Amino acid sequence: MKLNFTGISDPGLIRSNNQDAYYIDPEGRFFIVADGMGGHAGGEEASRIATQEIQTYLLANWQSPKSSPKLLEQALLEANAAILQDQQTHAERADMGTTVVVVAFREPDSPWCAHIGDSRLYRLRESQLQQITDDHTWVARAIKIGDITADEARVHPFRHVLSRCLGREDLHQVDVQPLDVNIGDRLLLCSDGLTEELADHKIADYLQNTPLLDKAAISLVEAAKDQGGHDNITIVIITLEENS
């Protein structure tokens, strides 16, 4: 299996700074998207720390005997600890935090995903787009128990309230799951600056109908900005192809 991939991050049209961060391993082993929060400096620092710590941990332990789920879980917990340490030494960033979604191809045919918060992983298979991760938000839980509908959630005043993120003392659980992938699938990691502006069917249209990855990523960003671009927008796209 061969991977092609690209990434892009844009501040959008309203924010003066970009609190998102992403990292793509040059060898295509793992991919990270993080969306920081906690003020102008705090959000940027939280997402930067998260991507840096996860990258460092994965590279240092890639060949270790740890299972992929344990490796990813520990990487995110290490990132959480680093953010907490920074909070303690910089009072101005005491409330910072970040979401994160990570995909790792440690065993090429058996990738895994870990996430915290509402940055998402999608899979496009043929013409069907599926959200793989579950948002750790108040509205996601309300949808699950039937209190509100998905349409209501898109405009709900609590839609940005996270139930889990990096940068919290009470973080003890990381969602880690195996990924079902086939040749021809496209994976999309993204911050909520994309999903707040574009419904899933619109995202699917751009992923399916734009063969060139760089162009697909740029088109998604521009489409989100056309809808208002109220938040930072970060996108990583991975295509799974036959080995040539």
Side-chain angles (χ1 to χ4, degrees), residues 15 19-20 35-47 87 93 95-100 116-118 160 162 164-166 168:
R15 303 278 179 99
Q19 298 184 59
D20 288 359
D35 179 358
M37 67 210 74
H40 190 283
E44 284 189 30
E45 191 67 8
S47 61
Q87 290 173 349
R93 297 200 289 265
D95 63 344
M96 72 176 177
T98 186
T99 70
V100 69
I116 293 174
D118 61 356
H160 298 299
L162 296 173
R164 212 185 304 170
C165 68
L166 293 182
R168 298 295 178 264

Side-chain angles (χ1 to χ4, degrees), residues 15 22 24 40 60-61 76 85 107 111-112 136 149 174 195 198 231:
R15 303 278 179 99
Y22 76 98
I24 295 176
H40 190 283
N61 294 277
L76 270 63
Q85 183 176 4
E107 301 86 19
W112 288 77
H136 297 141
T149 67
V174 176
T195 53
L198 295 182
D231 200 354

Side-chain angles (χ1 to χ4, degrees), residues 190-211:
C190 63
S191 62
D192 69 348
L194 177 70
T195 53
E196 275 286 299
E197 306 292 1
L198 295 182
D200 285 4
H201 72 275
K202 289 290 188 183
I203 294 173
D205 286 344
Y206 284 102
L207 283 178
Q208 183 178 2
N209 297 320
T210 315

Side-chain angles (χ1 to χ4, degrees), residues 7 18 28-30 33 38 43 51 53-54 66 83 98-99 110 122-124 126 138 147 151 155 188 194 208 211:
N18 193 342
R29 291 173 293 182
F30 58 90
V33 167
T51 53
E53 290 294 324
I54 293 168
K66 292 180 187 285
I83 293 171
T98 186
T99 70
S110 303
Y122 287 93
R123 182 189 64 211
L124 180 75
E126 298 177 349
W138 183 92
D147 284 352
D151 287 339
V155 295
L188 168 69
L194 177 70
Q208 183 178 2

